């Protein structure tokens, strides 16, 4: 069990701050600022020096004075900088005596940087092409030291008074309300803010710039007076803040009642910042957001309302749980982020009971379940010692696993009991700091159960269990828990690991979940195995379950009975998908399970089906083209049926979940190459772009249609249409949609255009990852992104090493999808001589993930091919003539709905060769005239275009190698669909794969 380590870079506790008085004067000409920092400090031991945190600050003067001793002062004679520890030491010629009345006055010069942390600058253009400047702050986790010298640790709290000097007419914001505003003779203004409550340095914030706002007030029923809430936005965008403003008012009221503590500040501002690295930041009274995470246009996509609600409520919950009570050290980050996430879902569920938010939660935790099934994961409660380690734990384990284990605890204790315990915890530690153990003890006192005993293994032990179910007879099952590893290679010492697991067992005859606690490795239970039974009912537990095939079949049959809700169906699907990736079950079992979803109506379930299929496609991407086409046909048949039922148009008053389901069905049917859907997408795109008819593409359909267009485009014109849409739009959400889809253009030219555009000044630093993320969806994009990262790594590292998570995610996007040993070795070789301390966790995770992909593919590629053949999706008949192929497909079409996807050679792609897919929705080809002939020709053109792109890409690579380019792309396999048998699993091969498995120490 991991025990959190103590930080190694904490400052001395013999000198602590009581109050900071700050004055900030930006100098826009040279992107610097003048700072005056007067800190009231308490000195507990005589000293000749004061050490505090500072980074990239040029200290001009430093004077310590005791204001109770008639102005006695001592001027520092030297300043020493420790760049590695990000500290300065002020050295004085005389001893500073013990006193609580010292004031440290420091003047300094700092940088208004462009790194999206500390005190940084931003710029934006409004709808009238006016350019606006804006400066703001992002101090979490250790960046306050970039703006003023301070004790930059969460447990060293103080109060703050801030004064900003800025041009007259611009908006100045900080945590507190404005206390005074003085107009200066030089066209500037001096704005002073009220004194803050006691708080940590990372929660201080300010914003200076041109902003519009809207406002509303709470009822005042609980606080005794109304709290003013505002949404600030770039000029012209404030009206898109009404949805978030309404959420803010309701959330302040809700949390004030929940915690029985009035909102502690006089106002709450939510600010949309054009350039912002994280999604949002909970600065006390001045919450900052990416524009996309706060603003919502009137007719925006429905799913974005859910995302914005979760984000806004999460940050407002922090105003109590995180700001009023703060973590002692960053090792407890998970507690406050996990709880804020869990609380946000509770509030969303109460405000919007029709959203089925807990099914969304089950869907949302799948990524952390995948991450945490690798040895390179980390405990929820993880020790950190320096700033680079702190940055790396702002990940899904801290947020989503933290929220998941808290939800599991809530299901065990009861939600009301949990919230009563949390209220007691906040009252006990308000204005101070607390750690994980403090919460467990408080909950144990309130709920009268052993909470520390239950939770310690879940928070201090990496990973989670899988329950392996064995049916002993028709009335008895054996349940055994093992650690679940995606690589499937559990070691002997790992066999002993165990967790206390609340089983949540439900059966066909007993609909009430039986909350049995399994605290042993094995347990025998009496269960009727002739009917369905399910563990983890409601998916409140953080574990997977492996059922016997017969039990899985019974569960599948129960889908239509409404006894298993959406969350349970999602849980069953994702468990099976994870089990096949790890080797516990064959991939064919996942494909077989999909048949039970054919009549599924729930959008969230279908969204999860699409994600699991994406995961399979990502690993199988470089397999022979007939196999990929057959998998596409599996996907096409599933989603085309939904499109035929729902159509393309949106009836007035349609349920939002149906709106979302239509969008996901069109996207994935189109991604599968369904000719009717591709043709309709192209028609609507032309009407939308050329005729400026916005009704042709409602907001919910823009992403799916843009993706279909770029996946099937044969030139740059349509690509540039979408780029120009990005350039011309001033709606943040529309810009994100356009930017997100560019990577789906899979020709070499379009991939290179996307990379160049992503790194151009037209794309904000915060959006670079958005622009390149979808490049992984094609073979060409994957290879080019990997090459780009290698060729430009030094520039990327220098430019973004301080950005929160940028390097992590750039590494993830560039390498995590690989599934060959050759790529694995390339990654190892590239990073072998790099300083990886800032991203070592994520790099190790990616390498372990690649190893999982390799093992999965080598183990199951034949299993998948067999299933595709056995179920009529794959037919090997390369010797058939084109006319015979047409006749064969038509004959099959007359016997069953859908078609057989044929294994095509390049000769089969002649104009006379048949394409897969029903025409005009009839499941039969009939004659090849009119619309049917056009659709068939469209698909043939697309296939020929793909082959042409592949040949073009190979030719360029050969030319690059011929000119001595440094990166070798020559591998023993083909990227472009030529069939090659997988390497046999000889002893030599086993040793080669084994050598990829290592222990990762941090």
């Amino acid at each position: 069990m991991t025990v959190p380590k103590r930080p190694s870079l904490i400052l001395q506790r013999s000198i602590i701050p009581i109050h900071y008085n700050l004055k900030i004067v930006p100098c826009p000409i040279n992107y610097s600022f003048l700072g005056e920092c007067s800190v009231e400090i308490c000195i507990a031991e005589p000293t000749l020096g004061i050490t505090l945190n500072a980074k990239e600050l040029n200290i001009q003067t430093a004077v310590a004075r005791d204001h109770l001793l008639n102005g006695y002062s001592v001027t520092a004679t030297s300043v020493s900088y420790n760049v590695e520890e990000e500290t300065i030491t002020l050295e004085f010629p005389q001893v500073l005596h013990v006193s609580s009345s010292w004031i440290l006055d420091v003047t300094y010069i700092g940088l208004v940087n462009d790194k999206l942390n500390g005190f940084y600058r931003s710029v934006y253009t409004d709808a009238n092409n006016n350019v606006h400047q804006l400066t703001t702050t992002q101090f979490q986790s250790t960046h306050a030291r970039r703006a003023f010298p301070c004790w930059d640790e969460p447990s060293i709290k103080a109060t703050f008074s801030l004064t900003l000097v800025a041009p007259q007419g611009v908006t100045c914001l900080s945590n507190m309300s404005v206390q005074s505003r003085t107009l200066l003779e030089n066209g500037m203004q001096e704005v002073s803010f009220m004194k803050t409550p006691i708080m940590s340095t990372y929660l201080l914030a300010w914003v200076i710039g041109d902003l519009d706002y809207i406002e509303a007030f709470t009822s005042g029923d609980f606080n005794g007076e109304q709290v003013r809430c505002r949404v600030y936005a770039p000029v012209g965008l404030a009206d898109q803040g009404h949805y978030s403003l309404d959420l803010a008012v309701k959330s302040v009221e809700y949390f004030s009642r929940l915690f029985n503590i009035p909102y502690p500040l006089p106002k709450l501002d939510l600010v949309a910042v054009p350039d912002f690295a994280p999604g949002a930041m909970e600065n006390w009274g001045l919450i900052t957001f990416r524009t996309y995470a706060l603003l919502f246009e009137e007719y925006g996509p429905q799913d974005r309302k859910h995302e914005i609600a979760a984000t806004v409520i999460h940050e407002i919950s922090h105003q109590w749980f995180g700001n009023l009570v703060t973590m002692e050290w960053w090792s407890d980050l998970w507690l406050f982020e996990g709880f804020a996430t869990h609380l946000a879902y509770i509030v969303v569920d109460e405000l919007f009971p029709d959203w089925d938010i807990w099914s969304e939660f089950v869907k949302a935790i799948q990524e952390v379940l995948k991450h945490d099934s690798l040895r390179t994961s980390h405990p929820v409660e993880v020790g950190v010692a320096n700033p680079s380690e702190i940055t790396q734990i702002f990940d899904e384990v801290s947020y989503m696993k933290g929220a998941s284990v808290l939800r599991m605890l809530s299901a065990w204790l009861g939600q009301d009991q949990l919230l009563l315990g949390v209220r007691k915890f906040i009252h006990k530690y308000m204005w101070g700091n607390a750690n994980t153990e403090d919460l467990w003890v408080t909950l144990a006192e309130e709920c009268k159960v052993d909470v520390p005993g239950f939770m310690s293994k879940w928070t201090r032990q990496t990973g989670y269990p899988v329950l392996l179910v064995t049916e002993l007879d028709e009335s008895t099952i054996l349940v055994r828990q093992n650690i679940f590893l995606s690589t499937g290679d559990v070691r002997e010492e790992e066999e002993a690991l165990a967790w206390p697991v609340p089983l949540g067992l439900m059966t066909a005859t007993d609909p009430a979940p039986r909350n049995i606690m399994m605290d042993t490795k094995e347990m025998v239970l009496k269960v009727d195995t002739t009917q369905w039974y399910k563990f983890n009912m409601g998916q409140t537990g953080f574990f997977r379950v492996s059922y016997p095939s017969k039990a899985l079949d019974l569960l599948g049959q129960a889908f239509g009975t409404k006894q298993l809700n959406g969350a349970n169906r999602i849980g069953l699907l994702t468990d099976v998908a994870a089990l096949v990736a790890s080797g516990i079950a064959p991939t064919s079992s996942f494909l077989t399970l999909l048949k039970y979803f054919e009549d599924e109506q729930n959008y969230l379930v279908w969204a999860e089906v699409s994600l699991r299929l994406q995961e399979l496609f990502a690993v199988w991407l470089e397999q022979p083209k007939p196999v990929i086409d057959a998998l596409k046909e599996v996907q096409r048949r599933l989603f085309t049926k939904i499109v035929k039922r729902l159509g393309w148009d949106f009836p007035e008053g349609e349920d939002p979940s149906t709106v979302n389901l239509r969008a996901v069905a069109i996207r994935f049917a189109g991604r599968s190459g369904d000719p009717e859907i591709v043709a309709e997408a192209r028609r609507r795109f032309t009407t939308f772009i050329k005729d400026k008819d916005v009704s042709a593409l409602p907001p919910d359909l823009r992403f799916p249609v843009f993706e279909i267009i770029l996946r099937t485009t044969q030139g740059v014109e349509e690509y540039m249409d979408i780029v120009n849409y990005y350039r011309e739009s001033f709606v943040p959400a529309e810009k994100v949609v356009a930017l997100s889809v560019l990577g789906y253009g899979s020709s070499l030219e379009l991939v290179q255009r996307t990379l160049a555009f992503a790194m151009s000044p037209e794309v904000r630093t915060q959006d670079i990852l958005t622009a390149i993320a979808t490049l992984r969806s094609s073979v060409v994009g994957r290879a080019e992104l990997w090459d780009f990262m290698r060729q430009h790594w030094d520039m990327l590292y220098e430019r973004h090493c301080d950005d929160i998570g940028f390097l992590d995610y750039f590494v993830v996007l560039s390498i995590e999808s690989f599934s060959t040993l050759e790529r694995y070795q390339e990654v190892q070789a590239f990073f072998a001589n790099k300083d990886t301390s800032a991203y070592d966790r994520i790099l190790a995770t990616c390498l372990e993930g690649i190893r999982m992909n390799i093992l999965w593919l080598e183990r199951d590629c034949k299993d998948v091919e067999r299933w595709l053949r056995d179920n009529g999706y794959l037919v090997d008949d390369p010797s058939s003539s084109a006319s015979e192929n047409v006749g064969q497909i038509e004959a099959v079409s007359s016997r069953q709905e859908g078609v057989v996807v044929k294994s095509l050679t390049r000769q089969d792609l002649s104009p006379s060769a048949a394409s897969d897919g029903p025409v005009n929705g009839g499941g039969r080809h009939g004659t090849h005239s009119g619309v049917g002939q056009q659709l068939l020709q469209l698909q043939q053109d697309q296939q020929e275009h793909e082959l042409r792109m592949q040949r073009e890409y190979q030719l360029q690579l050969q030319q690059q190698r011929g000119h001595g380019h440094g990166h070798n792309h020559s591998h023993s396999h083909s990227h472009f669909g030529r069939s090659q048998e997988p390497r046999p699993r000889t002893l030599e091969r086993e040793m080669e794969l084994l050598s990829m498995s290592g222990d990762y120490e941090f």
Side-chain angles (χ1 to χ4, degrees), residues 849-861:
I850 298 170
R851 190 169 76 89
M852 181 201 79
N853 293 342
I854 295 170
L855 294 171
W856 182 12
L857 189 58
E858 291 207 350
R859 181 180 59 245
D860 276 7
C861 62

Side-chain angles (χ1 to χ4, degrees), residues 362-382:
V362 174
K363 182 174 175 290
I365 66 171
Q366 296 310 311
E367 190 61 30
V368 71
L369 282 162
K370 179 180 179 181
H371 178 104
D372 206 38
S373 66
L374 299 172
R375 287 194 179 90
T376 49
S377 184
H378 61 81
V380 169
E381 194 177 354
V382 61

Side-chain angles (χ1 to χ4, degrees), residues 175-239:
N175 306 77
M176 300 294 287
S177 301
V178 172
Q179 186 174 53
S180 66
R181 188 186 309 270
T182 304
L183 301 182
L184 307 179
E185 293 181 355
N186 58 356
M188 305 294 281
Q189 60 177 329
E190 187 172 279
V191 182
S192 296
F193 298 89
M194 296 170 59
K195 182 178 178 180
T196 72
I198 186 170
M199 66 185 194
S200 303
T201 49
Y202 77 90
L203 296 172
L204 183 66
W206 60 82
V207 180
I208 305 171
D210 296 327
L211 297 167
D212 291 342
Y213 73 86
I214 55 175
E215 68 178 17
F217 295 83
T218 65
S219 67
D221 292 344
F222 191 87
N223 277 54
E225 60 183 18
Q226 292 181 316
V227 176
R228 189 198 75 202
C229 299
R230 285 181 176 175
V231 169
Y232 284 87
V235 172
L237 297 180
D239 281 343

